[in-house]
Amino acid sequence: MKKILGLVLGLTMLSAGTVFAQEDQALEETQVSETGLELSDMAVRITSQGHTAAFQLYDTEAAEELYEQLPLELELSNFADAQWMFYPPEELDVTDAEIYKAGKKGELSYYEPWGDVFMLYEDFQSGDDMHRLGVCLEGMDEIAEMSGDVLIEQDPSALEDAAEETMQIRVEAEAGEIVFELNDSQAARDLYEQLPLTIEVEDYSTNEKIFYPPEELDTEDAPQAEAGAGTLAYYAPWGDVVMFYGDFGSASGLYELGQVVSGSESISGLSGTIQVEPVAGENE
């Protein structure tokens, strides 16, 4: 009966869904994310078929209820070629504050009608309410390779590991401060190694701000951008770094460098000279 009901509901979600690609995003402990939800000090590690991903949970009752059920050994199921899901033994109490419909790669979420927790390895849009539980700290590209049995366990050390391994940059200007989390591509590392920079920012079109780093970035392993508001990207033909404050999509030669962590509302107001620098404490 559950499988029949699941299929009907699944077809409803799939008919409203679109799948995109996006890279890494991770948020620091106790930080208020772009969702408006505060992140907690709870972290979980999920392992399947030798592939591992770690997630930081939000400071919500539902996330705490999942955390208290761990460790769990369960079976994974795939949905829409965009997510791996599992069914915790006890249901989670969700609220309207966690509801969303447009999910991003790397989110850990809960679908109340089925009672499943799912990990998105592609962007996913649903016509039904989904509820956020957490965000990926590491191993985002590992999620797609998972299948079969899965081990879900508490792992507070993942927060410390992520803080040591992630690259964050800060853009400062009169309009405000913006923090971006970089992915692990060589292009992102090339940009990071050129910091700090005091540089001019320019307008382009109606949805982006750009600047030109002194040296070109190596895009050999960089992911193609599916750019939306908050995406940090590199347009190789021009050699400019792009900060999107509106949705854009993809383009030949446009590569993703990272995603906004905080201050997205300030991107559109950037003008004149800006400072771009590493966030203190990262990769030291």
Side-chain angles (χ1 to χ4, degrees):
M1 183 63 180
K2 175 186 276 189
K3 291 183 178 179
I4 295 173
L5 176 61
L7 179 59
V8 173
L9 290 170
L11 290 173
T12 300
M13 292 177 69
L14 184 57
S15 66
T18 55
V19 178
F20 304 98
Q22 187 182 46
E23 282 295 318
D24 202 6
Q25 89 182 33
L27 300 173
E28 290 184 308
E29 178 181 354
T30 72
Q31 181 180 15
V32 176
S33 75
E34 290 298 295
T35 68
L37 297 173
E38 185 174 296
L39 288 156
S40 72
D41 59 359
M42 298 179 292
V44 301
R45 186 168 298 277
I46 299 178
T47 305
S48 173
Q49 305 298 322
H51 299 281
T52 299
F55 298 83
Q56 184 173 4
L57 302 185
Y58 290 114
D59 188 15
T60 64
E61 183 175 353
E64 185 174 355
E65 289 173 347
L66 173 64
Y67 195 74
E68 290 175 349
Q69 294 183 53
L70 306 182
L72 292 171
E73 294 187 43
L74 300 169
E75 185 80 12
L76 285 175
S77 301
N78 191 274
F79 182 76
D81 290 327
Q83 57 183 262
W84 284 109
M85 58 187 187
F86 57 86
Y87 294 85
E90 299 178 16
E91 296 181 353
L92 309 181
D93 291 322
V94 293
T95 70
D96 289 348
E98 300 116 46
I99 288 177
Y100 74 110
K101 296 183 187 293
K104 293 183 177 181
K105 177 180 177 178
E107 289 189 298
L108 184 71
S109 304
Y110 183 67
Y111 185 54
E112 187 178 22
W114 295 1
D116 67 294
V117 172
F118 60 92
M119 303 172 283
L120 289 177
Y121 59 87
E122 297 285 356
D123 286 7
F124 180 82
Q125 186 161 334
S126 171
D128 299 323
D129 290 342
M130 305 181 290
H131 291 80
R132 292 184 170 93
L133 293 174
V135 291
C136 193
L137 289 169
E138 60 178 80
M140 183 178 296
D141 292 332
E142 296 282 289
I143 301 171
E145 305 302 320
M146 297 181 179
S147 64
D149 296 334
V150 64
L151 172 64
I152 310 102
E153 53 191 339
Q154 299 178 1
D155 187 10
S157 66
L159 297 175
E160 297 177 4
D161 294 342
E164 293 176 358
E165 295 175 3
T166 58
M167 295 183 293
Q168 290 190 343
I169 65 173
R170 178 186 297 108
V171 177
E172 293 184 331
E174 290 185 4
E177 177 182 290
I178 305 119
V179 175
F180 292 94
E181 180 83 23
L182 302 187
N183 58 37
D184 61 356
S185 68
Q186 185 58 51
R189 294 183 184 280
D190 286 350
L191 174 63
Y192 193 83
E193 289 172 0
Q194 295 183 51
L195 304 183
L197 292 172
T198 299
I199 201 163
E200 293 296 308
V201 67
E202 301 176 13
D203 286 296
Y204 185 77
S205 188
T206 59
N207 60 352
E208 59 190 80
K209 300 286 183 172
I210 65 174
F211 65 87
Y212 293 85
E215 300 177 13
E216 294 182 356
L217 311 184
D218 181 354
T219 60
E220 183 175 357
D221 67 342
Q224 291 286 328
E226 183 66 42
T231 299
L232 184 72
Y234 180 66
Y235 187 52
W238 292 2
D240 63 305
V241 172
V242 187
M243 297 172 282
F244 286 96
Y245 57 89
D247 290 339
F248 175 78
S250 60
S252 177
L254 185 66
Y255 299 94
E256 185 172 325
L257 299 175
Q259 290 291 321
V260 72
V261 169
S262 63
S264 61
E265 68 282 356
S266 298
I267 299 175
S268 62
L270 293 175
S271 64
T273 302
I274 61 173
Q275 285 73 45
V276 188
E277 59 186 13
V279 172
E282 299 294 335
N283 289 307
E284 292 183 353

